[in-house]
mmCIF file of all heavy atoms in Angstrom:
data_model
loop_
_atom_site.group_PDB
_atom_site.id
_atom_site.type_symbol
_atom_site.label_atom_id
_atom_site.label_comp_id
_atom_site.label_asym_id
_atom_site.label_seq_id
_atom_site.Cartn_x
_atom_site.Cartn_y
_atom_site.Cartn_z
ATOM 1 N N GLU A 55 6.822 -1.832 26.079
ATOM 2 C CA GLU A 55 5.392 -1.662 26.491
ATOM 3 C C GLU A 55 4.420 -2.239 25.502
ATOM 4 O O GLU A 55 4.670 -2.141 24.257
ATOM 5 C CB GLU A 55 5.083 -0.142 26.669
ATOM 6 C CG GLU A 55 5.767 0.432 27.870
ATOM 7 C CD GLU A 55 5.300 1.863 28.105
ATOM 8 O OE1 GLU A 55 4.096 2.114 27.927
ATOM 9 O OE2 GLU A 55 6.134 2.728 28.396
ATOM 10 N N LEU A 71 -2.618 4.360 -13.159
ATOM 11 C CA LEU A 71 -2.566 5.658 -13.774
ATOM 12 C C LEU A 71 -2.692 6.832 -12.841
ATOM 13 O O LEU A 71 -2.092 7.824 -13.030
ATOM 14 C CB LEU A 71 -3.582 5.775 -14.935
ATOM 15 C CG LEU A 71 -3.518 4.743 -16.056
ATOM 16 C CD1 LEU A 71 -4.737 4.815 -16.946
ATOM 17 C CD2 LEU A 71 -2.241 4.913 -16.789
ATOM 18 N N GLN A 80 4.611 8.531 9.917
ATOM 19 C CA GLN A 80 4.266 9.720 10.714
ATOM 20 C C GLN A 80 2.751 10.011 10.636
ATOM 21 O O GLN A 80 2.147 10.329 11.678
ATOM 22 C CB GLN A 80 5.033 10.938 10.113
ATOM 23 C CG GLN A 80 4.746 12.247 10.916
ATOM 24 C CD GLN A 80 5.568 13.335 10.299
ATOM 25 O OE1 GLN A 80 6.175 13.275 9.265
ATOM 26 N NE2 GLN A 80 5.545 14.509 11.032
ATOM 27 N N THR A 89 2.517 8.600 20.160
ATOM 28 C CA THR A 89 3.774 9.327 20.293
ATOM 29 C C THR A 89 4.964 8.386 20.436
ATOM 30 O O THR A 89 6.057 8.846 20.186
ATOM 31 C CB THR A 89 3.689 10.253 21.477
ATOM 32 O OG1 THR A 89 3.424 9.539 22.668
ATOM 33 C CG2 THR A 89 2.635 11.341 21.282
ATOM 34 N N ALA A 106 -5.672 -0.690 -6.434
ATOM 35 C CA ALA A 106 -4.712 -1.181 -5.448
ATOM 36 C C ALA A 106 -4.744 -0.242 -4.254
ATOM 37 O O ALA A 106 -4.934 0.961 -4.392
ATOM 38 C CB ALA A 106 -3.276 -1.250 -6.070
ATOM 39 N N ASN A 115 1.816 3.765 21.728
ATOM 40 C CA ASN A 115 1.155 4.415 22.853
ATOM 41 C C ASN A 115 1.181 5.912 22.688
ATOM 42 O O ASN A 115 1.969 6.474 21.947
ATOM 43 C CB ASN A 115 1.803 4.056 24.136
ATOM 44 C CG ASN A 115 1.720 2.537 24.392
ATOM 45 O OD1 ASN A 115 0.655 1.962 24.310
ATOM 46 N ND2 ASN A 115 2.824 1.907 24.686
#
Side-chain angles (χ1 to χ4, degrees):
E55 289 186 40
L71 300 173
Q80 180 181 9
T89 56
N115 299 311

